[in-house]
Amino acid sequence: MIKRGLCFLILFSTLALSHAHAQTYGVEELLKIWSVGDTSQTRKAGDGTLDMFTHPNKDKFLAVVADLKKRNLDKRKQIFFYTYQFYGYRFFGIEDSIISKPYCFKMLKEAALLGDDQLLSEMYIIYGGICAPEEEIYYLLKAAEMRERRNINSAYTYAQYEKISLLTYEFMLDYRSSARYAAKGIYTYLNPDKNLHNYILLLDIAGDSYVKLNMPDSAIYYYQKIRQKIADYRLSPAKFTPRISIDAIKLWDNIALGGIARAFTLKAQYDTAYNLLQQNLRSSMAFQEWADVSLVQSALGQIDYIKKDYSSAARRYSLARQLATSSKKDILLSNALEGGARAFAAIGRFDSAFFYQKEYLILKTSLEARKYESKIQMVEAQVRYDGIQSLVAETKYEIARQRNLRNIILSAVFLLGVIVFLLFNRNRLKYILRQTELEKQTQLAESEAELVRKEILFAQNQLAELVHHISEKNQLIEGLENRLAENERIDLQDVLRNFTILTGNDWLKFKDYFGKAYPNYWESLQTKLPKLTQSDERLLALMKLQLGNKEIAAATGVSAESVRVSIHRLRKKIEAIYPDIPFEEFVATI
């Protein structure tokens, strides 16, 4: 028997789940978790909201809200902030326009425009919660569908299916759907030991729905799971949070026995069922669970009627009717009236039988009307949902159109500005160009005259220096040849340093002397750098002799600047082949 109202169920679920949290969330913590965009966003945002239930502090909640209102939040954070305010205002009993249906619908549309189904599913749950139960079922189902599509299963998913199964059971009398969603809630329950009460309640919904569907084996399966969990609790209560009182454990155990008994009745095992129902009856009466007493009395009355103990059946149905009326449970009342009409007719009390039958038909008509009204409201909810989707699509189109129009206008203004700027600059640049052209022509004429003077002077200097070097070279060669003819010992290093290489013959002589000063040098150089030019070889040999740029320039008859450029190019070439060896070290170690 389903024993708790819907609001108490959801609140209990929330508080029980949040019991394990120890951290109190401030503004920065909330902003951090609201920045998450992956599938964990539902769980993390839920943790932030549940924290205020765990540590209820109205003043702190209002201070956090006031601080967040001053922040420049993006759209996602605005919607998360709205959900935080919504639950907080409802929890602390604060009246505010944001918890109204129109404002909630506005935020739902904002969430839809973002295109995040997971965030939109959160808004469907909130919006459904302030609608009629039949409409709420529709939005809860849409939220569940979105989460299933993204394969999201958080610690709070079961509560959503729990609410759907209760609504379909109590308002739509759709027991097949109720059983299906209860089973989904049980499947998504990640840790039943952390909230045993609601886990048992889901099992009870599934079991009772299968009894209504005349599927005894399925009903027994779920009621047996209740008894197994209760047995686990009795063995190791410390691993369960929050704790459940011993009285509640006893009551649930006997309710499960009652559910199994009603399933045995469907299987025509009346004696077994009768004994279990008697045990359930004593327990429910002891705990004053009068709705459950009404259910058990009707079940016992059914067995009495089957066994032809019509008087006992009539008494039990009469008591069940009284208790169901005071409990305002229409389904229980329907069972009592239907059975009572048969029992009173069997003992000849036709006035009572007529009364019971009349009340039963009126109630049945009312329940059927409610059932069809629920279906109509579900269809209306779908129409409204389709309207939301259409509105969202139109809004997205309008936003895109406005954005494109804005971009076109901005582009046109920018282009016009560029054209005006270019036209203005064109005339100004013409004037500047005419002036600069005249200045350049004047400077160019002066530069060319100066360059001619410098080239003449440089050529004269170079010619004089060349004549001097040739004279010195000839004297050096003559002296060297005389000394070699006389077999005089000479210092080749000194000779090489003072050698002038201006012609091909000069180079051959220098190379011969260098080979004598440094045996195997040319072979080693050829091995390491097989593609060197003659100019590169000459430059490396002179650097090997530790000559500076000016000395190399004097020896080769070029300018010092040309020597510097040649060395730079040679350095790049060798470093590309031997990047790990410094250039100077390479030259010195050949």
Side-chain angles (χ1 to χ4, degrees):
M1 169 61 194
I2 300 172
K3 301 171 60 280
R4 292 288 183 269
L6 192 56
C7 294
F8 175 79
L9 161 70
I10 301 304
L11 181 59
F12 187 94
S13 303
T14 304
L15 293 176
L17 275 170
S18 62
H19 182 73
H21 295 276
Q23 181 182 2
T24 301
Y25 287 74
V27 173
E28 298 306 324
E29 289 82 6
L30 289 171
L31 290 175
K32 183 177 179 180
I33 61 178
W34 293 345
S35 299
V36 177
D38 57 28
T39 55
S40 68
Q41 62 177 285
T42 299
R43 174 181 58 80
K44 291 179 179 178
D47 288 345
T49 303
L50 293 175
D51 181 69
M52 82 171 113
F53 300 147
T54 315
H55 310 95
N57 186 328
K58 185 176 179 180
D59 292 336
K60 180 178 180 181
F61 167 74
L62 292 174
V64 169
V65 169
D67 190 342
L68 286 167
K69 283 182 178 180
K70 300 175 185 176
R71 305 291 183 106
N72 185 21
L73 305 179
D74 59 32
K75 286 294 184 182
R76 279 180 55 81
K77 291 190 179 71
Q78 286 178 26
I79 295 169
F80 278 123
F81 179 36
Y82 173 75
T83 63
Y84 180 78
Q85 288 182 91
F86 183 90
Y87 287 121
Y89 286 166
R90 294 285 288 266
F91 182 70
F92 292 113
I94 301 171
E95 293 294 331
D96 195 281
S97 62
I98 72 163
I99 60 177
S100 65
K101 195 171 181 180
Y103 195 95
C104 186
F105 180 80
K106 172 189 171 185
M107 296 306 296
L108 188 152
K109 187 176 75 170
E110 293 289 342
L113 289 173
L114 286 177
D116 186 336
D117 282 355
Q118 191 169 347
L119 186 57
L120 181 58
S121 71
E122 297 296 321
M123 285 305 306
Y124 278 144
I125 293 171
I126 291 178
Y127 184 70
I130 56 179
C131 296
E134 295 81 6
E135 190 174 358
E136 181 180 12
I137 295 172
Y138 184 80
Y139 286 108
L140 286 173
L141 288 173
K142 296 305 295 184
E145 176 188 327
M146 289 177 175
R147 292 185 176 184
E148 285 180 2
R149 189 163 58 241
R150 295 194 65 184
N151 196 27
I152 299 168
N153 182 21
S154 72
Y156 320 114
T157 303
Y158 84 90
Q160 187 178 350
Y161 287 117
E162 188 173 47
K163 197 171 185 183
I164 295 172
S165 62
L166 268 173
L167 289 170
T168 52
Y169 182 98
E170 293 187 352
F171 290 95
M172 299 188 68
L173 308 179
D174 184 354
Y175 303 119
R176 192 169 300 281
S177 294
S178 178
R180 182 171 70 255
Y181 291 119
K184 280 192 173 185
I186 293 165
Y187 176 75
T188 58
Y189 225 111
L190 301 179
N191 193 349
D193 295 348
K194 297 301 180 185
N195 194 3
L196 183 59
H197 176 92
N198 287 76
Y199 183 68
I200 290 175
L201 189 54
L202 268 172
L203 293 170
D204 184 34
I205 296 171
D208 196 62
S209 296
Y210 280 118
V211 169
K212 293 286 194 301
L213 293 169
N214 197 17
M215 299 173 65
D217 291 333
S218 296
I220 290 172
Y221 169 78
Y222 285 103
Y223 281 119
Q224 287 288 16
K225 287 182 73 70
I226 293 177
R227 302 207 68 204
Q228 289 169 7
K229 269 297 170 187
I230 289 172
D232 291 344
Y233 184 88
R234 284 171 171 163
L235 287 173
S236 304
K239 72 174 185 177
F240 292 85
T241 54
R243 299 287 184 85
I244 301 177
S245 68
I246 298 300
D247 288 345
I249 286 294
K250 290 179 180 177
L251 178 62
W252 271 119
D253 196 24
N254 282 290
I255 287 174
L257 283 176
I260 293 170
R262 286 181 289 126
F264 280 148
T265 301
L266 296 175
K267 294 166 72 74
Q269 299 179 22
Y270 302 119
D271 292 337
T272 303
Y274 202 87
N275 292 331
L276 294 176
L277 286 169
Q278 288 284 8
Q279 184 175 338
N280 182 193
L281 180 62
R282 288 190 295 269
S283 173
S284 295
M285 290 180 67
F287 291 107
Q288 299 183 359
E289 288 289 338
W290 302 120
D292 196 57
V293 171
S294 173
L295 176 69
V296 176
Q297 289 287 17
S298 291
L300 288 169
Q302 180 183 1
I303 296 174
D304 284 339
Y305 184 85
I306 291 170
K307 292 184 174 182
K308 299 184 180 181
D309 188 352
Y310 302 124
S311 296
S312 176
R315 287 194 301 273
R316 291 190 184 280
Y317 280 126
S318 178
L319 180 58
R321 172 184 166 276
Q322 295 175 30
L323 294 172
T325 301
S326 61
S327 300
K328 297 181 180 180
K329 296 289 186 180
D330 289 343
I331 298 173
L332 298 179
L333 182 58
S334 175
N335 294 338
L337 291 172
E338 183 182 17
R342 292 197 307 269
F344 281 115
I347 61 175
R349 293 178 56 181
F350 298 109
D351 290 343
S352 297
F354 176 76
F355 173 79
Y356 272 69
Q357 184 66 21
K358 177 184 175 183
E359 291 294 315
Y360 169 71
L361 291 175
I362 293 172
L363 180 59
K364 184 178 180 181
T365 302
S366 174
L367 291 174
E368 288 295 324
R370 189 170 80 185
K371 183 176 179 179
Y372 285 109
E373 179 67 23
S374 297
K375 291 182 178 179
I376 291 171
Q377 291 188 19
M378 283 279 286
V379 173
E380 291 176 349
Q382 183 172 2
V383 171
R384 281 189 287 272
Y385 172 80
D386 292 338
I388 293 173
Q389 298 304 304
S390 176
L391 179 62
V392 167
E394 290 175 5
T395 306
K396 285 183 177 179
Y397 172 77
E398 182 62 22
I399 290 172
R401 191 183 70 81
Q402 293 288 346
R403 185 184 295 116
N404 291 335
L405 181 60
R406 180 200 63 191
N407 292 340
I408 291 171
I409 293 172
L410 290 175
S411 299
V413 170
F414 176 76
L415 183 60
L416 181 62
V418 170
I419 292 171
V420 171
F421 177 76
L422 290 175
L423 289 174
F424 172 78
N425 272 350
R426 182 180 179 184
N427 294 326
R428 187 171 67 88
L429 287 173
K430 281 183 179 180
Y431 173 78
I432 293 173
L433 285 172
R434 282 195 299 269
Q435 294 298 112
T436 54
E437 187 65 27
L438 291 174
E439 292 177 2
K440 282 182 179 180
Q441 288 176 0
T442 303
Q443 292 175 357
L444 182 61
E446 293 176 354
S447 297
E448 286 178 349
E450 180 66 21
L451 182 62
V452 169
R453 287 195 297 272
K454 287 183 179 180
E455 287 179 348
I456 292 171
L457 181 61
F458 177 76
Q460 291 172 346
N461 292 335
Q462 286 291 97
L463 181 60
E465 186 176 351
L466 180 61
V467 170
H468 176 70
H469 280 306
I470 291 172
S471 176
E472 287 183 346
K473 179 206 64 163
N474 289 334
Q475 293 174 8
L476 179 66
I477 292 172
E478 288 175 1
L480 181 62
E481 288 175 346
N482 293 333
R483 292 166 67 185
L484 286 172
E486 297 173 2
N487 292 323
E488 184 180 339
R489 187 177 182 84
I490 60 174
D491 185 355
L492 289 176
Q493 290 278 356
D494 185 56
V495 172
L496 291 169
R497 289 193 183 92
N498 293 282
F499 209 95
T500 303
I501 308 170
L502 297 174
T503 66
N505 289 332
D506 292 341
W507 167 243
L508 293 176
K509 289 180 180 181
F510 175 84
K511 193 171 184 181
D512 181 55
Y513 291 144
F514 194 91
K516 291 177 180 179
Y518 296 97
N520 300 321
Y521 177 85
W522 300 113
E523 292 81 355
S524 177
L525 183 63
Q526 185 65 27
T527 301
K528 292 183 178 180
L529 299 168
K531 295 184 179 180
L532 281 183
T533 65
Q534 181 176 300
S535 298
D536 292 338
E537 290 180 349
R538 183 166 58 228
L539 190 57
L540 281 171
L542 292 172
M543 291 177 68
K544 177 74 173 179
L545 296 173
Q546 299 182 351
L547 298 182
N549 289 2
K550 290 183 179 179
E551 294 171 315
I552 295 173
T556 56
V558 297
S559 68
E561 177 63 21
S562 297
V563 172
R564 188 190 66 79
V565 172
S566 298
I567 290 175
H568 177 74
R569 290 174 179 171
L570 182 59
R571 177 190 295 271
K572 292 293 183 183
K573 187 184 297 184
I574 292 175
E575 286 180 349
I577 300 172
Y578 299 99
D580 298 330
I581 304 175
F583 176 68
E584 290 76 9
E585 181 181 338
F586 179 87
V587 171
T589 56
I590 298 175

